[in-house]
């Protein structure tokens, strides 16, 4: 559980991070909830192309990922990391841990970890060559979580 100590007389959503993220998550439309959970497989920066390949289910759906990431950015659940050549995105570690928990609960963890792996595999469906070579072990931990459910 994500714990944050605070005032005991604070509203429940401000008493710990788990409650705060639960409250924020309930406010998201279902599609944004799914994309946020799916983005949890990325440790560190991700490109829009990577997000589309991993979080999208179809070509049409992949196009909607851009707007969903913009919405999640406006809600401070995804951070923008401007670069010299392109804009990248990332989840804060606390948001990522919460989203990974939701991904495990969804039953999609193995499939999303597979997509992530495919995206970063030479010859796979990718345009960005970072990821697993940069120590990204979250997909394997999520796959382990999925087998434990």
């Amino acid at each position: 559980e994500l714990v944050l100590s605070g005032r005991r007389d604070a509203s429940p959503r401000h008493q710990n991070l788990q409650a705060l993220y639960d409250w924020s998550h309930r406010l998201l439309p279902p599609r944004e909830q799914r994309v946020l959970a799916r983005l949890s497989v990325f440790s560190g920066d991700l490109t829009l192309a990577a997000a589309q390949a991993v979080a999208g289910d179809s070509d049409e759906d992949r196009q909607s990922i851009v707007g969903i990431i913009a919405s999640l950015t406006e809600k401070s659940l995804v951070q923008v990391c401007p670069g010299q050549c392109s804009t990248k995105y990332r989840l804060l570690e606390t948001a990522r841990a919460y989203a990974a928990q939701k991904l495990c609960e969804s039953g999609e963890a193995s499939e999303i970890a597979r997509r992530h792996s495919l995206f970063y595999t030479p010859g796979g469906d990718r345009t960005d060559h970072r990821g697993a070579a940069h120590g990204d072990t979250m997909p394997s931990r999520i796959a382990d979580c999925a087998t434990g459910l």
Side-chain angles (χ1 to χ4, degrees):
E1 181 171 303
L2 302 169
V3 179
L4 173 71
S5 60
R7 294 185 1 225
R8 290 186 180 167
D9 62 342
S11 68
R13 73 173 184 264
H14 292 126
Q15 290 178 0
N16 68 51
L17 285 174
Q18 182 75 35
L20 177 67
Y21 279 118
D22 284 340
W23 177 78
S24 295
H25 190 263
R26 281 191 300 272
L27 295 176
L28 297 175
R31 184 70 187 118
E32 288 184 18
Q33 292 176 357
R34 275 192 307 280
V35 170
L36 179 64
R38 291 172 177 185
L39 294 179
S40 70
V41 298
F42 294 96
S43 67
D45 298 350
L46 62 123
T47 63
L48 283 176
Q52 289 172 315
V54 173
D57 291 323
S58 65
D59 287 339
E60 183 179 316
D61 191 45
R62 287 183 183 105
Q63 293 306 315
S64 71
I65 298 296
V66 175
I68 291 170
I69 288 180
S71 179
L72 292 171
T73 299
E74 289 172 6
K75 296 168 183 161
S76 300
L77 292 167
V78 172
Q79 288 185 308
V80 177
C81 305
Q84 290 178 318
C85 298
S86 67
T87 300
K88 295 190 179 183
Y89 303 87
R90 75 175 315 133
L91 275 70
L92 292 174
E93 280 304 310
T94 53
R96 184 170 174 246
Y98 181 84
Q101 176 185 356
K102 291 298 182 184
L103 183 62
C104 286
E105 292 170 7
S106 75
E108 294 186 318
S110 293
E111 171 60 19
I112 300 306
R114 185 191 69 76
R115 290 182 195 178
H116 181 274
S117 180
L118 260 176
F119 183 80
Y120 289 110
T121 300
D125 179 22
R126 61 178 170 63
T127 57
D128 181 1
H129 300 281
R130 290 180 27 125
H134 292 266
D136 191 352
T137 59
M138 185 61 114
S140 63
R141 287 185 288 177
I142 289 174
D144 292 344
C145 166
T147 58
L149 292 177

